[in-house]
């Protein structure tokens, strides 16, 4: 029997990598660079060590595209055994689920190309991830985070919560994107940071990501102050830069974020991205519909686009105003409670 292998080009076709495959297929698949990085990681550490014909010891520098998958080795029993072993040894349920979905997708390509007759990935629910309940912060906690992280980065915290904007959108903002007088930020691009530390400027996560974000009025002073003190000069100047003028780096900001999070006693699992969920929740409380929050956060869904009504700029201004009222009320309540607490505290003898 002739050995059958899924070639490097066929794997690359599925993954849309720029390595070993024409640019045409990369563009057709519209795969984000961070997704490509994730797939390489999953291939190198989770899939190829079991199913490749030959694999050197996986390392950060090994090329996962250089190892053809041995299709004769990928049977339904082997897939079940592989998944059980990965779960047992890594304890990484999410990574194993992602790896299973990736392997299943690769083998769907093999089926389409008549290299195998049936996909051996047939474990029901194996590719599903059980997402934990997303945490939200209170208005007081968002303010505390902004204070703790330092004056240079406090606006990023506020825009992450009350935009709510993605980290890769925030780091791509230029001065020309910010209309201080009307409190509007126009999101045009995203600049995610790859695992190698390099920025990858490009389009937003979806077409809905290109949008105008109308900010609540209480942020006017914060925006104006940040632009005056910290943003680069000129219309193309970056809004967020480091102390020495270097572009935003995820690693250095991550250290500041963890210190700030600990300082305000938020749990270790609370991520910067969870500020978006906070913004969603507060917008809903201020009267936003699902479609309103989708437009505000730059989310897209074909099903929702067919069901939910249009959310225009006037409606977005209403949402921003409602959010402004809600945050101001929460802040006033928090300050009132603090004053009452201090009055009740015994002065001692």
């Amino acid at each position: 029997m002739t050995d059958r292998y899924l070639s490097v080009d066929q794997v690359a076709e599925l993954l849309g990598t720029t390595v070993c495959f024409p640019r045409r297929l990369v563009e057709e698949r519209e795969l984000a660079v961070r997704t490509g990085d994730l797939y390489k990681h999953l291939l190198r550490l989770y899939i190829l060590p079991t199913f490749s014909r030959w694999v050197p010891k996986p390392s950060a520098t090994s090329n996962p595209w250089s190892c053809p998958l041995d299709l004769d080795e990928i049977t339904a029993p082997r897939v079940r055994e592989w998944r059980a072993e990965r779960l047992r040894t890594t304890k990484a349920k999410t990574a194993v689920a992602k790896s299973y979905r990736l392997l299943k997708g690769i083998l769907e390509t093999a089926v389409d190309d008549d290299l195998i007759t049936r996909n051996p990935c047939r474990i029901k629910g194996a590719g599903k991830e059980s997402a934990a309940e997303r945490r939200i912060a209170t208005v007081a906690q968002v303010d505390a985070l902004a204070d703790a992280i330092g004056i240079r980065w406090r606006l990023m915290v506020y825009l992450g919560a009350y935009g709510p904007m993605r980290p890769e959108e925030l780091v791509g903002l230029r001065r020309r994107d910010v209309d201080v007088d009307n409190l509007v930020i126009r999101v045009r691009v995203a600049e995610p940071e790859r695992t190698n530390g390099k920025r990858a400027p490009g389009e937003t996560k979806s077409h809905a990501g290109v949008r105008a974000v109308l900010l609540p009025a209480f942020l006017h002073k914060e925006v104006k102050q940040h632009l005056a003190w910290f943003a680069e000069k000129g219309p193309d100047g970056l809004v967020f830069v480091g102390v020495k003028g270097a572009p935003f780096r995820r690693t250095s900001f991550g250290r500041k974020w963890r210190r700030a999070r600990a300082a305000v006693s938020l749990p270790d699992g609370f991520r910067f991205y969870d500020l978006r969920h906070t913004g969603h929740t507060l917008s809903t409380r201020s009267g936003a519909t699902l479609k309103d929050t989708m437009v505000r956060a730059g989310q897209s869904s074909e099903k929702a686009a067919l069901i939910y009504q249009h959310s225009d700029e006037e409606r977005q201004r209403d949402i921003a105003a409602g959010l402004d009222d809600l945050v101001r009320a929460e802040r006033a309540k928090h300050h009132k409670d603090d004053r009452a607490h201090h009055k009740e505290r015994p002065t001692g003898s």
Side-chain angles (χ1 to χ4, degrees):
M1 180 178 177
T2 304
D3 287 344
R4 298 170 300 165
Y5 300 97
L6 195 62
S7 69
V8 173
D9 279 358
Q10 286 165 327
V11 174
E13 176 181 357
L14 174 80
L15 302 181
T17 176
T18 56
V19 180
C20 302
F21 209 77
R23 181 181 295 272
R24 175 180 60 82
L25 288 173
V26 178
E27 293 173 347
E28 286 176 357
R29 294 192 178 275
E30 299 181 345
L31 194 68
V33 290
R34 290 287 300 277
T35 304
D37 289 344
L38 172 63
Y39 286 177
K40 288 181 183 179
H41 170 78
L42 295 176
L43 273 170
R44 184 176 66 244
L45 297 183
Y46 286 85
I47 298 175
L48 292 177
T50 299
F51 295 118
S52 178
R53 183 182 184 186
W54 60 270
V55 182
K57 288 185 178 180
S59 70
T61 57
S62 61
N63 184 359
W65 314 124
S66 64
C67 308
L69 293 175
D70 189 343
L71 296 180
D72 288 321
E73 290 295 317
I74 310 179
T75 61
R78 285 291 308 279
V79 169
R80 289 194 296 271
E81 180 184 341
W82 161 76
R83 177 176 174 271
E85 185 275 331
R86 291 286 78 194
L87 287 171
R88 184 173 59 255
T89 59
T90 68
K91 310 297 183 184
K93 294 181 179 180
T94 298
V96 173
K98 291 181 187 295
S99 300
Y100 180 87
R101 290 201 306 271
L102 176 57
L103 179 62
K104 185 175 181 178
I106 291 173
L107 295 176
E108 283 297 329
T109 297
V111 173
D112 292 342
D113 291 348
D114 296 323
L115 295 173
I116 56 177
T117 58
R118 189 182 180 191
N119 194 328
C121 293
R122 300 193 288 271
I123 306 172
K124 291 184 179 180
K128 292 182 179 180
E129 300 173 41
S130 54
E133 181 70 21
R134 289 184 176 179
R135 299 174 174 88
I136 64 170
T138 64
V139 169
Q141 286 173 325
V142 173
D143 285 339
L145 277 170
D147 290 339
I149 206 164
I151 194 168
R152 178 177 289 273
W153 303 107
R154 63 185 282 115
L155 181 62
M156 182 172 276
V157 170
Y158 282 135
L159 294 183
Y162 302 129
M165 298 168 66
R166 300 178 178 92
E168 61 268 26
E169 296 170 345
L170 289 166
V171 301
L173 288 178
R174 264 63 177 178
R175 273 184 177 268
R176 59 184 168 85
D177 300 323
V178 184
D179 181 345
V180 180
D181 293 334
N182 294 305
L183 272 181
V184 176
I185 292 182
R186 301 197 178 277
V187 179
R188 309 174 197 268
V189 300
E191 295 193 12
E193 185 176 322
R194 303 184 64 177
T195 52
N196 59 9
K198 295 181 179 179
R199 301 271 283 275
E203 297 179 350
T204 55
K205 190 172 183 179
S206 67
H207 293 303
V210 179
R211 65 199 187 278
V213 177
L214 284 81
L215 301 177
F218 71 84
L219 284 180
H220 182 268
K221 181 181 177 181
E222 298 283 351
V223 174
K224 188 174 181 179
Q225 179 176 278
H226 182 91
L227 291 178
W229 293 357
F230 303 117
E232 287 184 329
K233 304 301 181 184
D236 290 325
L238 290 168
V239 172
F240 294 104
V241 292
V243 176
K244 298 181 180 179
F248 172 92
R249 289 296 302 272
R250 190 173 62 224
T251 50
S252 59
F253 181 80
R255 290 192 292 270
K256 295 178 178 65
W257 171 257
R258 289 189 290 273
R259 287 197 295 268
R261 184 179 61 195
V264 301
S265 301
L266 278 168
D268 291 344
F270 189 85
R271 309 163 302 160
F272 182 88
Y273 209 90
D274 289 326
L275 291 173
R276 271 173 63 82
H277 189 52
T278 298
H280 279 308
T281 302
L282 293 178
S283 293
T284 301
R285 290 176 186 172
S286 69
T289 65
L290 176 57
K291 180 59 180 176
D292 291 328
T293 57
M294 286 174 58
V295 170
R296 188 169 186 80
Q299 293 177 322
S300 62
S301 165
E302 183 177 4
K303 182 178 180 181
L306 294 172
I307 297 174
Y308 298 104
Q309 296 179 348
H310 180 65
S311 178
D312 57 19
E313 183 172 323
E314 184 177 353
R315 178 60 181 153
Q316 286 298 312
R317 288 193 182 279
D318 291 341
I319 298 303
L323 188 56
D324 183 67
D325 291 341
L326 187 149
V327 171
R328 289 180 188 272
E330 286 291 324
R331 284 177 171 175
K333 179 182 176 183
H334 180 68
H335 292 325
K336 182 179 179 180
D337 290 344
D338 277 351
R339 287 196 299 270
H341 177 70
H342 288 306
K343 287 181 179 178
E344 293 173 0
R345 184 180 297 173
T347 57
S349 56

